Amino acid sequence: MRLIGGFLSVGLLLASRTYAALTYWADASCTNRPSSPYLRIVEDMISLAGKASRRLNMRDADPHFHYAFTIVMKVPYNNPVVHELPHNGRLGTSFELADYVLSTLASMTPFIGNDPTTANIRFYCDDDPMDATPNSAARWQLVPDRENDPSPNSQKTAGVDQEWFDQYNWIRRSTDSLGCKNNGGANGLITQMETYSDQILPEDLVGFEYNSRRPPADLAANRSTISVSPSRCKKVIKHSGTGFSNKRGETQLCEFVFDKKQFPLETFNDIAADQKLESMLLTEDYWELILSTILAHEACHVTTLELEDVADEDSYHWEGIMELDAGESITNADNIMWLMILAQLEDWKIRLDSDETKAKAGHLVRDTSIVALGRRAKKWKRKLSGDLPSLTKFPFKYRHSNYTL
């Protein structure tokens, strides 16, 4: 699924300085976990998105981030070519679409209310429970056989061609996915987090019902779910679902990610102050083992954004995004994630090497001339007429821990 860019023609509606207002909610499998890092991870991801959005909008006033944008997105911020987000039809230049995604993530707020089904993003840390028994309590249910189907779903193979659905959020999973139940398989990779956004809509139920049930009418119009693995090993991030719906979704935090031996860093705040980050290459696994950066990737898949992994396994990691063209880069989740990482590094006076060849190879340098974002934030906020979202702070306390998603 690749994006073809083109110049603006009459009648196209460009992305503007707007963002989607999304709320998020966490299942008890996340919030009741002892020393759960869930809140720290989400808070750090929101902060990273806010820093990247603010630096992006400083434009020429922040030449280092402008340069980073050019390296990551393959075009300068003022490039006029218009692209389209593949599933929601939003049009804009690379700058406008990146700003839309970052501003949306920076503006996420906790769901407040008694009915979490109206939240846009739902987090689960339950390891994606599956049960083929109709109407069991497990979240993931086997899609019942259709009448006169020559290839009954019950006879198919899970993780290959069998259909499953989330009975609480009414979302489908890609047939080739086992979510957090992916235990490595042939490639030895284990799923850490997975986002689900392929919603079951009323028109999908014409002449067919899921175990004689239908989705409740009050489900959020724009919803996704994110599953976070409570265990973890080598890194693989998967996006499940066709992404063609425009309603809701979920993200699962798989059990694997709660293993502190595998993931010693939950957020950028856990990095030691004396760590010489400028001596490390962006091609090292270190950066993508920080749980908040994994969530940054997954959050780009939620409904209303629905960025892709445009080249499948080649869509990940610094060396992978360097191979993408401009049209692919603006619709690829990892490119946005790397903008967030580079914005945070600038706060620590670290930037990409000025030599473009070295920058593309992931070389960093320390630059004491970089001004910390906090000392200039008010100035740039005034220049942007106050439309830039402020960094979200949680209105509640959370337990400190040392790992996340």
Side-chain angles (χ1 to χ4, degrees):
M1 294 180 283
R2 296 175 185 271
L3 181 65
I4 300 176
F7 285 95
L8 176 64
S9 63
V10 176
L12 295 183
L13 178 64
L14 283 175
S16 60
R17 281 292 290 147
T18 60
Y19 57 91
L22 299 178
T23 59
Y24 61 89
W25 167 86
D27 179 67
S29 58
C30 296
T31 58
N32 290 347
R33 181 175 293 274
S35 301
S36 174
Y38 155 74
L39 292 179
R40 294 190 70 227
I41 298 168
V42 175
E43 182 180 36
D44 196 46
M45 186 277 292
I46 292 173
S47 174
L48 292 173
K51 291 175 181 178
S53 177
R54 291 163 74 174
R55 286 197 177 277
L56 181 62
N57 279 279
M58 290 164 68
R59 308 189 191 213
D60 288 339
D62 190 342
H64 303 306
F65 198 72
H66 177 194
Y67 174 65
F69 181 89
T70 301
I71 294 295
V72 171
M73 292 301 178
K74 318 306 187 299
V75 292
Y77 76 83
N78 56 358
N79 183 275
V81 176
V82 173
H83 304 280
E84 179 181 359
L85 294 186
H87 302 308
N88 69 10
R90 191 174 187 85
L91 300 169
T93 64
S94 293
F95 171 89
E96 290 167 328
L97 293 178
D99 184 45
Y100 171 71
V101 173
L102 291 168
S103 297
T104 294
L105 297 179
S107 302
M108 285 172 49
T109 56
F111 170 78
I112 299 176
N114 298 320
D115 184 8
T117 61
T118 61
N120 302 116
I121 303 172
R122 298 91 183 271
F123 288 94
Y124 289 88
C125 307
D126 58 2
D127 221 29
D128 278 339
M130 303 167 57
D131 193 333
T133 305
N135 300 314
S136 68
R139 186 157 60 89
W140 289 101
Q141 298 276 294
L142 184 67
V143 172
D145 294 338
R146 293 167 174 81
E147 187 176 356
N148 301 320
D149 189 343
S151 300
N153 191 51
S154 60
Q155 302 303 309
K156 296 179 179 178
T157 304
V160 178
D161 57 357
Q162 194 171 62
E163 297 177 75
W164 290 77
F165 77 103
D166 179 338
Q167 66 170 326
Y168 300 120
N169 296 290
W170 290 86
I171 291 175
R172 285 174 293 233
R173 187 167 69 196
S174 292
T175 55
D176 62 355
S177 171
L178 287 173
C180 291
K181 298 302 183 186
N182 176 38
N183 60 4
N187 61 11
L189 298 178
I190 297 175
T191 300
Q192 297 170 330
M193 301 182 201
E194 187 156 356
T195 301
Y196 307 99
S197 58
D198 186 10
Q199 304 169 57
I200 299 172
L201 305 175
E203 53 264 36
D204 299 324
L205 300 175
V206 176
F208 177 74
E209 293 187 346
Y210 287 65
N211 298 332
S212 301
R213 291 180 296 153
R214 300 180 67 85
D218 58 351
L219 281 174
N222 296 288
R223 65 185 185 273
S224 302
T225 64
I226 297 178
S227 292
V228 180
S229 174
S231 60
R232 53 177 167 227
C233 187
K234 283 194 72 175
K235 174 176 182 281
V236 62
I237 301 173
K238 296 188 67 178
H239 176 216
S240 177
T242 64
F244 286 105
S245 58
N246 62 355
K247 302 288 183 178
R248 60 189 179 278
E250 65 182 62
T251 297
Q252 172 71 28
L253 283 71
C254 303
E255 186 69 34
F256 175 56
V257 301
F258 295 105
D259 181 350
K260 294 185 178 182
K261 292 181 180 179
Q262 299 288 345
F263 294 84
L265 299 175
E266 296 173 359
T267 72
F268 275 83
N269 291 326
D270 297 324
I271 297 176
D274 59 353
Q275 177 74 51
K276 295 188 180 301
L277 299 177
E278 67 273 18
S279 65
M280 302 176 66
L281 294 175
L282 294 180
T283 54
E284 297 183 36
D285 288 341
Y286 179 87
W287 308 100
E288 295 173 274
L289 293 178
I290 302 171
L291 292 177
S292 56
T293 65
I294 301 174
L295 180 58
H297 173 109
E298 283 305 298
C300 290
H301 289 316
V302 301
T303 305
T304 70
L305 300 179
E306 295 188 274
L307 299 189
E308 301 177 322
D309 300 322
V310 299
D312 298 322
E313 293 302 320
D314 293 331
S315 306
Y316 306 125
H317 319 301
W318 182 259
E319 56 270 40
I321 70 167
M322 287 297 103
E323 298 300 319
L324 303 178
D325 62 30
E328 294 167 326
S329 294
I330 192 56
T331 62
N332 191 58
D334 240 41
N335 291 66
I336 295 294
M337 179 195 77
W338 280 104
L339 285 180
M340 296 189 205
I341 293 173
L342 291 168
Q344 176 62 65
L345 288 177
E346 274 204 32
D347 267 14
W348 294 337
K349 301 184 180 298
I350 299 171
R351 59 171 175 80
L352 285 173
D353 196 296
S354 299
D355 183 294
E356 186 173 328
T357 300
K358 289 185 176 180
K360 290 180 177 179
H363 289 267
L364 299 168
V365 297
R366 181 168 292 278
D367 186 343
T368 57
S369 70
I370 298 175
V371 178
L373 186 62
R375 283 185 279 171
R376 298 192 291 185
K378 290 185 178 180
K379 176 180 178 181
W380 304 121
K381 197 169 184 180
R382 285 197 298 271
K383 287 185 67 174
L384 291 166
S385 302
D387 60 353
L388 189 63
S390 59
L391 299 185
T392 302
K393 292 297 182 183
F394 283 83
F396 40 82
K397 295 181 179 180
Y398 55 87
R399 183 179 300 170
H400 180 276
S401 71
N402 291 325
Y403 264 83
T404 94
L405 302 190

